[in-house]
Amino acid sequence: MNIDDINKSFDNITKNISTFLKQLSLLNFDDNRKNLLINNANIWCKYGWAINRIPNDKILNPPNSFASADAIMLETLSAEEIDSIFTNLCEKIKIHSNDIIDAQFAYNNNKYKLCCMALFAIIDDYCTKRFLRKNTTLKYDNINALITRNKKANTNAFFNTLRNQMFLNMLNKYYKCKFDDDTFKPLANRNVLLHGKSKRPYSQADCIKLLLLLETATKVKGLTESKITVELTPINN
């Protein structure tokens, strides 16, 4: 199995990864191909990018640094596409439509730190309401419990499970509990930023990564409590 053989399997698959996943679920992928996709998706995840809008050829040929990953995606995603994502999220998450508009305003005016703060707050509330029990909050331990839930899902929908796992892996990265000096950290940290301790500069890429993370949160399936029950850490009063 070489990269040319794999590329032939993707010739007729559209650029949009959502369609890509639906179409691939109809194919009989062997373990080698699945492992290749898992490995490459993990590489993109390491650099903070959700897989749903990564071009197919770039999934098969992943980047080797934060800088190259960011450059690929900034070139891939047009201003119109970013605006469309903000607009669609306003429709999907109506309770936070004003917050999403505020995040978009900050993004369009190069206030990237403010945009990231707004997006993290929305991700907190949306994921808590969608995936967790009442009286819990989105934090590192609860994300690990969701990862366990995803592994226990007993589903044959490989690509749905893959998207879920990449989403949860990225949440893990963004919600790490350590309050280390983040001046030179390549990824934003929710806890450092929202507790007023962040010293790093924030970029357009940081905002888009969180925007795509929020978009992915609206698409994942099989993590709701009605599917699988997992004990989660309650809020400390």
Side-chain angles (χ1 to χ4, degrees):
M1 177 67 61
N2 58 45
I3 196 66
D4 290 331
D5 294 328
I6 297 170
N7 273 326
K8 291 177 183 177
S9 300
F10 293 86
D11 285 343
N12 297 319
I13 297 174
T14 62
K15 176 181 176 181
N16 187 293
I17 191 64
S18 296
T19 304
F20 170 61
L21 292 179
K22 290 177 183 177
Q23 292 182 2
L24 283 180
S25 65
L26 303 176
L27 300 178
N28 183 20
F29 260 36
D30 61 27
D31 286 344
N32 287 336
R33 295 185 183 187
K34 288 181 179 179
N35 288 335
L36 176 66
L37 280 175
I38 292 169
N39 179 70
N40 291 358
N42 272 314
I43 292 172
W44 277 102
C45 171
K46 179 174 73 172
Y47 299 130
W49 289 100
I51 63 174
N52 52 307
R53 290 185 182 267
I54 299 171
N56 299 338
D57 62 321
K58 300 304 181 184
I59 291 180
L60 294 174
N61 296 282
N64 57 13
S65 68
F66 278 93
S68 60
D70 291 358
I72 289 168
M73 294 308 295
L74 289 175
E75 182 180 355
T76 297
L77 297 168
S78 66
E80 292 77 13
E81 189 169 0
I82 297 299
D83 284 342
S84 175
I85 297 171
F86 275 114
T87 300
N88 290 338
L89 287 173
C90 283
E91 291 297 316
K92 288 183 177 181
I93 314 175
K94 292 185 183 296
I95 192 173
H96 283 298
S97 59
N98 288 336
D99 300 319
I100 295 168
I101 290 170
D102 287 343
Q104 184 176 15
F105 179 83
Y107 175 82
N108 289 337
N109 287 276
N110 303 326
K111 303 297 184 182
Y112 298 133
K113 185 175 184 178
L114 289 176
C115 179
C116 287
M117 293 175 74
L119 290 172
F120 267 131
I122 299 165
I123 291 167
D124 275 9
D125 190 65
Y126 180 78
C127 290
T128 296
K129 286 186 167 80
R130 185 170 183 211
F131 304 127
L132 304 180
R133 293 182 187 273
K134 290 182 178 179
N135 300 320
T136 59
T137 187
L138 188 67
K139 57 185 179 182
Y140 192 76
D141 290 344
N142 290 345
I143 294 165
N144 283 326
L146 287 172
I147 290 173
T148 300
R149 181 185 300 170
N150 189 52
K151 289 178 179 177
K152 291 181 178 178
N154 295 323
T155 176
N156 291 322
F158 167 75
F159 295 99
N160 180 64
T161 304
L162 173 63
R163 178 169 56 189
N164 289 2
Q165 192 63 45
M166 295 306 104
F167 167 70
L168 294 171
N169 286 351
M170 285 196 297
L171 280 182
N172 245 346
K173 292 179 182 296
Y174 283 117
Y175 279 73
K176 285 184 177 178
C177 299
K178 293 182 179 179
F179 285 90
D180 297 336
D181 183 345
D182 71 343
T183 303
F184 301 106
K185 299 289 185 182
L187 277 182
N189 179 286
R190 179 268 183 204
N191 298 312
V192 175
L193 177 59
L194 295 190
H195 283 83
K197 297 181 180 295
S198 182
K199 299 177 182 178
R200 72 189 290 278
Y202 286 80
S203 67
Q204 181 184 17
D206 289 319
C207 297
I208 299 174
K209 289 175 183 180
L210 293 181
L211 183 68
L212 297 184
L213 184 64
L214 179 59
E215 181 187 43
T216 305
T218 68
K219 296 178 180 296
V220 297
K221 300 176 182 178
L223 292 180
T224 58
E225 292 255 297
S226 61
K227 300 293 184 182
I228 296 171
T229 300
V230 175
E231 291 298 324
L232 300 175
T233 307
I235 296 175
N236 293 323
N237 295 323

